[in-house]
Amino acid sequence: HKPTNTFEQFRSKSKYEEIIEMDNTRFIETETFQQTVLFQEQDEQLKSLYGTARNIHDIATTMRDEIEDQNMLLDEFGERVDHTSSRLENAMKKVKYIIKANE
């Protein structure tokens, strides 16, 4: 059936435009949905990454605290070794003196 007047031709174009508009609307809705799903997935991945980074931070903090404690213990041990070494050196001097005196 061929349009007979200008109004029918205009109306036919409108229906065509409506179909295109509906297709465009469906496309936009589909893209919007897909982007929403993608954003949700990215949010979940970022939350997971944040959790992992937080765990690494906690482990690093614990390691730092442990290293500080070990450094304090090593410093104390070093002081005791120095003190003992000094006392041993004095004792060796006395032993040498006694040996020399007995010769």
Side-chain angles (χ1 to χ4, degrees):
H1 166 275
K2 192 175 184 181
T4 56
N5 63 31
T6 308
F7 178 73
E8 286 183 26
Q9 288 176 350
F10 178 74
R11 190 169 176 200
S12 294
K13 286 183 184 178
S14 282
K15 284 190 177 216
Y16 177 74
E17 288 172 353
E18 284 178 21
I19 291 170
I20 290 174
E21 195 173 297
M22 284 175 34
D23 285 347
N24 287 342
T25 301
R26 272 191 234 119
F27 175 77
I28 291 170
E29 288 172 352
T30 301
E31 287 299 311
T32 302
F33 176 76
Q34 288 175 350
Q35 287 179 359
T36 301
V37 169
L38 181 63
F39 287 146
Q40 289 172 347
E41 289 172 358
Q42 288 175 344
D43 284 347
E44 290 301 317
Q45 291 171 352
L46 287 172
K47 285 178 187 176
S48 176
L49 182 61
Y50 173 78
T52 300
R54 187 75 193 154
N55 288 341
I56 291 171
H57 174 267
D58 292 344
I59 290 168
T61 301
T62 301
M63 289 174 65
R64 183 203 62 211
D65 294 345
E66 184 65 28
I67 289 169
E68 287 175 356
D69 291 346
Q70 293 295 325
N71 280 337
M72 286 184 353
L73 290 172
L74 286 172
D75 288 345
E76 289 176 19
F77 180 72
E79 289 172 10
R80 288 183 184 180
V81 167
D82 289 345
H83 180 70
T84 303
S85 177
S86 176
R87 290 179 61 198
L88 183 58
E89 191 177 311
N90 287 336
M92 290 300 289
K93 285 179 185 177
K94 289 178 185 177
V95 168
K96 285 180 184 177
Y97 175 77
I98 293 172
I99 291 174
K100 196 169 192 176
N102 285 330
E103 288 180 351

